[in-house]
Short mmCIF file of all heavy atoms in Angstrom, two decimals:
data_model
loop_
_atom_site.label_atom_id
_atom_site.label_comp_id
_atom_site.label_asym_id
_atom_site.label_seq_id
_atom_site.Cartn_x
_atom_site.Cartn_y
_atom_site.Cartn_z
N ALA A 46 -49.42 -3.95 28.49
CA ALA A 46 -50.12 -2.69 28.12
C ALA A 46 -49.00 -1.60 28.52
O ALA A 46 -48.66 -1.46 29.64
CB ALA A 46 -51.37 -2.57 28.88
N ASN A 47 -48.46 -1.08 27.44
CA ASN A 47 -47.49 0.00 27.57
C ASN A 47 -47.86 1.23 27.14
O ASN A 47 -47.90 1.71 26.03
CB ASN A 47 -46.23 -0.51 26.67
CG ASN A 47 -45.07 0.39 26.67
OD1 ASN A 47 -45.10 1.40 27.38
ND2 ASN A 47 -43.93 -0.06 26.00
N LEU A 48 -48.35 2.06 28.20
CA LEU A 48 -48.89 3.42 28.06
C LEU A 48 -47.84 4.36 27.38
O LEU A 48 -48.14 5.30 26.55
CB LEU A 48 -49.37 3.95 29.27
CG LEU A 48 -50.08 5.37 29.16
CD1 LEU A 48 -51.30 5.42 28.33
CD2 LEU A 48 -50.44 5.67 30.62
N ASN A 49 -46.49 4.20 27.76
CA ASN A 49 -45.50 5.19 27.44
C ASN A 49 -44.85 4.89 25.99
O ASN A 49 -43.61 4.52 25.91
CB ASN A 49 -44.42 5.25 28.50
CG ASN A 49 -45.06 5.75 29.73
OD1 ASN A 49 -45.66 6.81 29.69
ND2 ASN A 49 -44.79 5.08 30.80
N TYR A 50 -45.65 4.67 25.00
CA TYR A 50 -45.18 4.33 23.76
C TYR A 50 -46.08 5.14 22.70
O TYR A 50 -47.26 5.56 23.00
CB TYR A 50 -45.36 2.83 23.35
CG TYR A 50 -44.65 2.33 22.17
CD1 TYR A 50 -43.32 2.04 22.18
CD2 TYR A 50 -45.40 2.32 20.98
CE1 TYR A 50 -42.69 1.75 21.04
CE2 TYR A 50 -44.73 1.89 19.80
CZ TYR A 50 -43.50 1.58 19.78
OH TYR A 50 -42.83 1.22 18.70
N VAL A 51 -45.61 5.37 21.53
CA VAL A 51 -46.29 6.14 20.52
C VAL A 51 -47.76 5.63 20.27
O VAL A 51 -48.72 6.41 20.14
CB VAL A 51 -45.64 6.36 19.27
CG1 VAL A 51 -46.38 7.02 18.19
CG2 VAL A 51 -44.28 6.91 19.58
N GLY A 52 -47.93 4.35 20.20
CA GLY A 52 -49.29 3.75 19.77
C GLY A 52 -49.13 2.49 19.12
O GLY A 52 -47.93 2.02 18.75
N SER A 53 -50.07 1.80 18.92
CA SER A 53 -50.17 0.50 18.09
C SER A 53 -50.37 -0.79 19.04
O SER A 53 -50.59 -0.69 20.18
CB SER A 53 -48.95 0.36 17.31
OG SER A 53 -47.86 0.07 18.18
N ILE A 54 -50.25 -1.88 18.31
CA ILE A 54 -50.35 -3.25 19.01
C ILE A 54 -49.10 -4.02 18.52
O ILE A 54 -48.93 -4.09 17.29
CB ILE A 54 -51.70 -3.96 18.71
CG1 ILE A 54 -51.74 -5.30 19.57
CG2 ILE A 54 -51.93 -4.16 17.27
CD1 ILE A 54 -53.05 -5.99 19.52
N ILE A 74 -59.55 -4.04 17.47
CA ILE A 74 -59.33 -4.85 18.74
C ILE A 74 -60.64 -4.87 19.54
O ILE A 74 -61.28 -3.88 19.73
CB ILE A 74 -58.19 -4.29 19.59
CG1 ILE A 74 -56.99 -3.86 18.86
CG2 ILE A 74 -57.84 -5.17 20.74
CD1 ILE A 74 -56.23 -4.97 18.20
N ASN A 79 -63.90 -6.16 28.81
CA ASN A 79 -64.57 -4.94 29.24
C ASN A 79 -65.47 -4.47 28.05
O ASN A 79 -66.12 -3.39 28.18
CB ASN A 79 -63.62 -3.89 29.62
CG ASN A 79 -62.74 -3.44 28.70
OD1 ASN A 79 -62.88 -3.58 27.50
ND2 ASN A 79 -61.59 -2.92 29.06
N ALA A 81 -64.60 -3.06 25.19
CA ALA A 81 -63.99 -1.98 24.35
C ALA A 81 -63.75 -2.53 23.02
O ALA A 81 -63.24 -3.64 22.76
CB ALA A 81 -62.64 -1.51 25.09
N PHE A 83 -61.72 -0.93 19.58
CA PHE A 83 -60.96 0.14 19.06
C PHE A 83 -60.07 -0.26 17.84
O PHE A 83 -59.82 -1.47 17.64
CB PHE A 83 -60.13 0.82 20.20
CG PHE A 83 -59.20 -0.08 20.95
CD1 PHE A 83 -57.95 -0.36 20.60
CD2 PHE A 83 -59.81 -0.95 22.08
CE1 PHE A 83 -57.18 -1.24 21.23
CE2 PHE A 83 -59.03 -1.84 22.74
CZ PHE A 83 -57.75 -2.02 22.34
N GLU A 84 -59.50 0.68 17.21
CA GLU A 84 -58.52 0.43 16.08
C GLU A 84 -57.20 0.91 16.33
O GLU A 84 -56.95 2.00 17.06
CB GLU A 84 -59.16 1.18 14.76
CG GLU A 84 -60.53 0.50 14.41
CD GLU A 84 -61.01 1.28 13.20
OE1 GLU A 84 -60.86 2.53 13.11
OE2 GLU A 84 -61.95 0.65 12.52
N THR A 85 -56.13 0.25 15.75
CA THR A 85 -54.78 0.71 15.87
C THR A 85 -54.04 0.11 14.64
O THR A 85 -54.78 -0.45 13.75
CB THR A 85 -54.22 0.37 17.23
OG1 THR A 85 -52.91 0.98 17.25
CG2 THR A 85 -54.05 -1.12 17.48
N TYR A 86 -52.84 0.07 14.62
CA TYR A 86 -52.09 -0.63 13.65
C TYR A 86 -50.97 -1.50 14.25
O TYR A 86 -50.65 -1.49 15.42
CB TYR A 86 -51.35 0.42 12.78
CG TYR A 86 -50.28 1.39 13.57
CD1 TYR A 86 -48.97 0.87 13.57
CD2 TYR A 86 -50.70 2.49 14.28
CE1 TYR A 86 -48.10 1.62 14.26
CE2 TYR A 86 -49.76 3.16 14.98
CZ TYR A 86 -48.49 2.79 14.99
OH TYR A 86 -47.50 3.51 15.65
N CYS A 98 -49.21 -6.90 22.87
CA CYS A 98 -48.82 -5.77 23.71
C CYS A 98 -49.53 -4.60 23.04
O CYS A 98 -49.29 -4.18 21.88
CB CYS A 98 -47.29 -5.56 23.80
SG CYS A 98 -47.05 -3.99 24.79
N LEU A 99 -50.56 -3.96 23.87
CA LEU A 99 -51.12 -2.72 23.37
C LEU A 99 -50.37 -1.56 23.88
O LEU A 99 -49.89 -1.50 25.09
CB LEU A 99 -52.61 -2.60 24.03
CG LEU A 99 -53.69 -3.37 23.31
CD1 LEU A 99 -53.80 -2.86 21.86
CD2 LEU A 99 -53.54 -4.89 23.26
N ASN A 100 -50.06 -0.65 23.05
CA ASN A 100 -49.16 0.42 23.19
C ASN A 100 -49.92 1.79 23.16
O ASN A 100 -50.82 1.85 22.48
CB ASN A 100 -48.05 0.52 22.18
CG ASN A 100 -47.28 -0.78 22.11
OD1 ASN A 100 -46.67 -1.21 23.18
ND2 ASN A 100 -47.25 -1.50 20.96
N GLY A 101 -49.41 2.78 23.85
CA GLY A 101 -49.96 4.18 23.80
C GLY A 101 -51.31 4.22 24.29
O GLY A 101 -51.65 3.50 25.29
N ALA A 102 -52.21 5.14 23.78
CA ALA A 102 -53.44 5.33 24.32
C ALA A 102 -54.34 4.03 24.38
O ALA A 102 -55.10 3.88 25.38
CB ALA A 102 -54.15 6.33 23.44
N ALA A 103 -54.09 3.06 23.47
CA ALA A 103 -54.78 1.78 23.56
C ALA A 103 -54.49 0.98 24.79
O ALA A 103 -55.41 0.22 25.19
CB ALA A 103 -54.40 1.00 22.34
N ALA A 104 -53.38 1.25 25.42
CA ALA A 104 -53.07 0.57 26.63
C ALA A 104 -54.16 0.88 27.82
O ALA A 104 -54.20 0.13 28.73
CB ALA A 104 -51.68 0.97 27.20
N ARG A 105 -54.67 1.96 27.64
CA ARG A 105 -55.77 2.40 28.64
C ARG A 105 -57.03 1.47 28.54
O ARG A 105 -57.86 1.48 29.47
CB ARG A 105 -56.10 3.80 28.66
CG ARG A 105 -55.01 4.72 28.94
CD ARG A 105 -55.56 6.13 29.40
NE ARG A 105 -54.45 7.02 29.77
CZ ARG A 105 -53.93 7.14 30.86
NH1 ARG A 105 -54.28 6.34 31.94
NH2 ARG A 105 -52.92 7.99 31.06
N LEU A 106 -57.22 0.74 27.43
CA LEU A 106 -58.45 0.05 27.14
C LEU A 106 -58.28 -1.46 27.49
O LEU A 106 -59.24 -2.27 27.25
CB LEU A 106 -58.82 0.18 25.69
CG LEU A 106 -59.14 1.71 25.34
CD1 LEU A 106 -59.38 1.75 23.81
CD2 LEU A 106 -60.30 2.18 26.06
N VAL A 107 -57.18 -1.89 27.88
CA VAL A 107 -56.84 -3.27 28.22
C VAL A 107 -56.02 -3.39 29.57
O VAL A 107 -55.35 -2.37 30.03
CB VAL A 107 -56.05 -3.96 27.18
CG1 VAL A 107 -56.82 -3.99 25.86
CG2 VAL A 107 -54.65 -3.40 27.02
N GLN A 108 -56.04 -4.66 30.06
CA GLN A 108 -55.05 -4.92 31.19
C GLN A 108 -54.37 -6.16 30.85
O GLN A 108 -54.97 -7.05 30.04
CB GLN A 108 -55.86 -5.12 32.51
CG GLN A 108 -56.63 -3.82 32.99
CD GLN A 108 -57.17 -4.08 34.32
OE1 GLN A 108 -57.02 -5.12 34.97
NE2 GLN A 108 -57.98 -3.16 34.76
#
Side-chain angles (χ1 to χ4, degrees):
N47 183 353
L48 183 61
N49 297 312
Y50 191 83
V51 176
S53 69
I54 183 170
I74 314 297
N79 65 19
F83 54 95
E84 296 174 339
T85 191
Y86 63 92
C98 176
L99 276 300
N100 302 301
R105 294 202 181 272
L106 301 173
V107 300
Q108 294 183 12

